[in-house]
Amino acid sequence: MTVQQTSQLIQLILNAALMLGVCVLLWGGLWLRHTALADRLKTLHLDYIRLFHTLPVDEHKRDCRDRLQTLRQQQRYLQYHCRMAKRCALVLHYALLGFIFSIFALAARCLFYLDWLVPVSMVVFTAGTALLLLCVGLALMDIQRFQVQSSVRRASGFSLFSARILKWGRTRRPSRSLPRNRPRALAPADYPSPAGVGLTTLRALDKSP
């Protein structure tokens, strides 16, 4: 085997090793995302069970039912994203196996004079690259959908909270109605005039002995 062929094989091995490192980094990110989603799903499940067993029977029962429905919707969303993370990890595992097989095939070509190992390794390398791109596309779509759903849930939660605050304010608003037996203010005509007062005094003096 010539020096040129050896350098080409080394370059192919380095390319496969580089793609393998990218797959490992991406797999670590997917694992962290799946772990965070699983922990969040477990927390929501515990909150749902605790709220379901402590469901009150008073006027706040409707609010608790709304909270239970919201928790169920969040659980469905998180379960969907967990399944997508698992699928991305599965696709990435196949890509990892492809790159590992490509590296071993090229290393075997360096040891043995088997020319058919080079095209086989190139085919497997191309398939692994395609699977890696597919995994990246699925992960980006899942992350975008998760962000959109999170923003929608925050907006709906704020609207529901505002509606409840307004409803509470209407029920707690003090009555501004005036009393029915309100004292009437005296008009100027109701006050006694000075002349009337003097005439009444004179009449009282005339009647006195």
Side-chain angles (χ1 to χ4, degrees):
M1 190 169 56
T2 61
V3 177
Q4 186 178 1
Q5 292 177 350
T6 305
S7 62
Q8 290 178 356
L9 286 174
I10 292 174
Q11 290 178 1
L12 293 175
I13 292 173
L14 290 177
N15 291 334
L18 179 62
M19 298 301 291
L20 182 63
V22 173
C23 285
V24 171
L25 292 177
L26 185 58
W27 184 84
L30 289 175
W31 180 76
L32 291 176
R33 174 176 170 77
H34 182 267
T35 303
L37 291 174
D39 293 339
R40 178 59 178 167
L41 185 60
K42 183 178 180 181
T43 304
L44 286 177
H45 184 66
L46 293 177
D47 293 340
Y48 180 82
I49 294 176
R50 188 181 301 111
L51 187 60
F52 182 79
H53 288 292
T54 59
L55 187 65
V57 294
D58 55 354
E59 59 182 1
H60 300 288
K61 186 175 182 180
R62 185 175 180 181
D63 297 338
C64 291
R65 287 181 177 177
D66 295 339
R67 177 61 178 168
L68 287 175
Q69 185 177 2
T70 303
L71 290 175
R72 283 197 297 266
Q73 292 178 357
Q74 293 181 1
Q75 285 180 0
R76 287 195 294 266
Y77 291 150
L78 289 178
Q79 287 174 359
Y80 171 78
H81 292 296
C82 284
R83 289 194 298 268
M84 287 298 298
K86 288 182 180 179
R87 292 172 184 174
C88 293
L90 181 62
V91 173
L92 195 58
H93 284 158
Y94 287 116
L96 283 170
L97 292 177
F99 291 130
I100 292 173
F101 179 81
S102 178
I103 291 174
F104 277 105
L106 292 174
R109 175 61 184 83
C110 293
L111 298 176
F112 307 101
Y113 294 98
L114 299 174
D115 295 334
W116 57 270
L117 289 175
V118 177
V120 169
S121 65
M122 289 296 97
V123 170
V124 176
F125 179 81
T126 305
T129 304
L131 291 175
L132 177 61
L133 293 177
L134 178 62
C135 178
V136 171
L138 291 176
L140 291 177
M141 290 175 60
D142 183 53
I143 292 174
Q144 183 181 6
R145 186 172 181 178
F146 181 78
Q147 291 178 353
V148 171
Q149 290 176 352
S150 299
S151 61
V152 170
R153 286 198 301 271
R154 284 195 298 267
S156 61
F158 179 76
S159 301
L160 182 60
F161 178 75
S162 301
R164 290 178 179 176
I165 289 297
L166 291 176
K167 183 179 179 182
W168 181 83
R170 290 174 183 175
T171 55
R172 298 291 183 178
R173 183 178 297 175
S175 177
R176 296 183 180 180
S177 61
L178 297 176
R180 296 182 179 179
N181 299 326
R182 184 178 180 180
R184 185 175 61 87
L186 294 176
D190 296 334
Y191 293 98
S193 60
V197 173
L199 183 59
T200 304
T201 306
L202 290 175
R203 289 178 180 177
L205 291 175
D206 292 341
K207 292 182 180 180
S208 61

